Amino acid sequence: MKLTIIGTGYVGLVTGACFSEVGSRVTCVDVDTEKIKNLKKGILPIYEPGLKALVFQNYKEGLLNFSTSLAEVAKTSSVFFIAVGTPQGEDGSADLQYVLRVAKEIGQNINEYAIIINKSTVPVGTADKVRKILEAELEKRGKDIKFDVVSNPEFLKEGAAVKDFLKPDRIVMGTDSPRAAKIMRRLYAPFSRNRDKVILMNVRDAEMTKYAANSMLATKISFMNEIANICERLGVDVENVRKGIGADTRIGYSFIYPGCGYGGSCFPKDVKALIRSSREVGFEPGLLDAVEKRNMEQKRVLTGKINARFSNDLADKIFGVWGMSFKPGTDDMRESSSIVLIEELIKAGARVRAYDPVALDQAKKEFPEKWLEDGRLMFADNQYHAVEGADAMVLATEWKAFRQPDFKALSDLLKHKIIFDGRNQYDPEEMMEKGFEYHGIGREISGIYRKSP
């Protein structure tokens, strides 16, 4: 089956590579000429474990191709995946201009029955807009060509996207067309061999499912962060509480780890978009508002702890920051807590040395160039270089390389043996035994960790 994927970002490239891996002939289309040139050379625009090998091998075998011309590719394809960005608008809504622009171009070029599959995360009702645009373009051309619009949201975790696509826990398909449903089932059959993973529903249901899923996960994170803040003020160790409630199968352990807030391209944008959609239909989403508010406040918790420890005097203090991507396993820094942390430290007069295993190139785009020029911000070559002579180490992203560091080296390099653990990766009692002053999330009383009895 010949497939066209429009958009070679995170979703589009993973989708194209994984479909080509199971034998489909795929062409990924993007208007960015430089990006397409690089992809043909094996240079990927994103970091995702396992993706580069898939792209290289399938491009080499001719199953995966890249193009800048949708009009040209449309001549030999009848299945189109829209996987372009839906950036957040100033009012919190999803910006659909790229989705609708692609729909228009598809309508201008298809010559036979086609399935237009929306893989981008879009508000409820977007498929109706895509359908109207296609109909209008076909009418302009005087063509009576049948087509179906399908909602097929992705549920990929950054850092595990290839695995999630090849071995999905569910495949949501939104369509009211038996013809489209049959083709979609055949298309996804290689990923659903051991059991039927397809959940078939109407288009609007599928569009809402994506927003509801991400908002639910964001809610769990914000809830646990709220609990962590309460625990800290009541003299309770939130890690014990987490274990206690996670053992309840109705709750589970996933997404109940306290930290310094969620980020990335999905949760923040999707929660805000759903809030906006709710208000547009006259419903005030109090819970979602609280989730968003808690997350924004949580991104400043680490800075608050640092200010409290240093009596609000951060002038000329040096902080070694470990991790900048919004989560481990990706170079994505969109909405990352580390951005808020670094900005607030520097604005308070501190200097920052930061290190991340894969996100350094992305980090250079996130901060003012003058900070790098005048030495207020420096990107280190490794995690130990970042803490050399620093007043404290701040863990912002829980990369595996940071889980069991050389604490002897860390102790020798730091000016003061202070750790601010934004992801509760270290055992506080062990840190105290090693001579460190430890500050975690939801694990302190008056700024100092309380030992368990």
Side-chain angles (χ1 to χ4, degrees):
M1 196 177 294
K2 292 184 178 180
L3 314 178
T4 298
I5 316 287
I6 303 102
T8 58
Y10 176 76
V11 175
L13 196 54
V14 171
T15 300
C18 290
F19 271 123
S20 66
E21 178 70 6
V22 297
S24 294
R25 291 192 175 277
V26 179
T27 301
C28 290
V29 178
D30 202 294
V31 296
D32 189 330
T33 304
E34 192 64 28
K35 186 186 287 188
I36 293 299
K37 284 181 181 178
N38 284 336
L39 283 166
K40 289 179 178 179
K41 296 175 185 176
I43 302 171
L44 275 59
I46 58 170
Y47 172 81
E48 181 62 40
L51 182 59
K52 188 171 185 177
L54 251 60
V55 170
F56 178 81
Q57 187 62 31
N58 287 294
Y59 178 68
K60 181 181 175 183
E61 293 178 1
L63 289 169
L64 179 61
N65 291 289
F66 302 100
S67 175
T68 56
S69 175
L70 178 55
E72 186 65 29
V73 175
K75 293 176 182 178
T76 57
S77 178
S78 59
V79 179
F80 300 86
F81 282 87
I82 301 178
V84 295
T86 53
Q88 181 181 304
E90 291 183 7
D91 60 357
S93 63
D95 186 346
L96 298 177
Q97 63 172 311
Y98 304 113
V99 171
L100 302 182
R101 189 181 300 168
V102 169
K104 183 176 182 178
E105 193 170 354
I106 292 172
Q108 291 169 345
N109 289 286
I110 56 173
N111 292 302
E112 60 180 6
Y113 171 77
I115 299 179
I116 294 83
I117 304 157
N118 208 337
K119 205 75 175 161
S120 301
T121 302
V122 294
V124 174
T126 300
D128 297 333
K129 294 178 181 179
V130 169
R131 187 178 294 108
K132 287 179 181 177
I133 287 175
L134 285 159
E135 289 171 348
E137 291 304 316
L138 289 171
E139 187 178 344
K140 287 178 187 177
R141 294 169 58 198
K143 299 284 187 178
D144 183 20
I145 299 172
K146 302 298 181 184
F147 67 88
D148 284 304
V149 179
V150 175
S151 176
N152 176 219
E154 52 83 17
F155 299 97
L156 308 176
K157 299 185 294 292
E158 291 195 41
V162 171
K163 179 183 176 183
D164 287 348
F165 199 103
L166 295 175
K167 296 181 179 180
D169 50 14
R170 81 280 207 196
I171 301 166
V172 172
M173 299 178 184
T175 180
D176 54 4
S177 164
R179 183 179 184 181
K182 185 177 179 180
I183 294 172
M184 289 291 290
R185 282 185 176 276
R186 189 165 74 244
L187 182 62
Y188 274 99
F191 311 107
S192 191
R193 290 181 63 82
N194 62 342
R195 63 177 176 86
D196 186 6
K197 299 175 183 178
V198 172
I199 303 174
L200 197 62
M201 58 185 73
N202 70 42
V203 175
R204 294 173 75 88
D205 294 351
E207 290 171 334
M208 183 62 180
T209 297
K210 171 65 175 179
Y211 275 115
N214 280 352
S215 296
M216 180 68 229
L217 297 175
T219 299
K220 290 186 74 173
I221 295 170
S222 281
F223 172 81
M224 204 62 208
N225 283 332
E226 185 104 318
I227 293 297
N229 287 302
I230 297 170
C231 285
E232 197 159 295
R233 288 155 177 80
L234 292 176
V236 175
D237 187 341
V238 73
E239 284 300 304
N240 289 330
V241 175
R242 179 187 66 79
K243 293 172 186 175
I245 66 173
D248 187 328
T249 56
R250 296 170 301 174
I251 298 171
Y253 290 105
S254 297
F255 291 87
I256 61 166
Y257 290 85
C260 48
Y262 59 76
S265 63
C266 296
F267 291 4
K269 176 172 68 71
D270 293 353
V271 170
K272 290 172 186 172
L274 190 51
I275 289 172
R276 175 71 181 179
S277 293
S278 301
R279 287 177 176 152
E280 285 176 350
V281 292
F283 179 77
E284 188 58 35
L287 178 57
L288 293 177
D289 253 342
V291 168
E292 167 66 10
K293 183 180 178 183
R294 164 46 48 211
N295 191 57
M296 294 305 294
E297 292 174 352
Q298 199 68 20
K299 290 183 178 184
R300 291 174 168 79
V301 165
L302 273 179
T303 318
K305 289 177 177 291
I306 292 169
N307 271 311
R309 171 59 181 80
F310 290 98
S311 303
N312 291 311
D313 182 13
L314 304 187
D316 297 322
K317 296 287 191 302
I318 299 173
F319 294 94
V321 174
W322 283 7
M324 288 183 286
S325 57
F326 86 92
K327 61 179 279 189
T330 179
D331 63 348
D332 194 344
M333 284 193 62
R334 284 174 287 185
E335 300 279 350
S336 176
S337 302
S338 68
I339 296 174
V340 176
L341 169 70
I342 292 170
E343 287 179 346
E344 293 199 341
L345 289 175
I346 290 175
K347 287 175 182 177
R351 287 183 287 159
V352 173
R353 285 203 214 101
Y355 171 74
D356 190 282
V358 302
L360 289 179
D361 287 340
Q362 294 299 322
K364 291 171 184 175
K365 304 172 187 176
E366 292 291 341
F367 302 102
E369 213 169 285
K370 62 181 180 180
W371 287 0
L372 295 168
E373 292 171 354
D374 62 21
R376 281 182 284 177
L377 174 61
M378 188 188 81
F379 296 128
D381 297 328
N382 60 65
Q383 65 201 76
Y384 298 105
H385 183 205
V387 298
E388 189 174 355
D391 291 275
M393 184 273 272
V394 187
L395 179 74
T397 311
E398 65 276 29
W399 283 94
K400 288 181 180 179
F402 303 154
R403 291 181 184 176
Q404 289 289 341
D406 183 340
F407 286 109
K408 175 65 168 61
L410 187 60
S411 176
D412 292 341
L413 289 167
L414 282 168
K415 183 178 179 181
H416 302 295
K417 294 170 66 173
I418 305 172
I419 293 175
F420 292 94
D421 185 357
R423 299 295 176 182
N424 285 0
Q425 289 297 291
Y426 307 127
D427 178 74
E429 292 184 21
E430 181 187 352
M431 294 302 96
M432 292 180 72
E433 288 170 4
K434 292 181 183 296
F436 288 97
E437 180 182 321
Y438 176 86
H439 302 269
I441 305 294
R443 313 192 78 180
E444 299 181 79
I445 299 177
S446 301
I448 301 297
Y449 173 72
R450 171 188 58 80
K451 276 194 172 186
S452 300

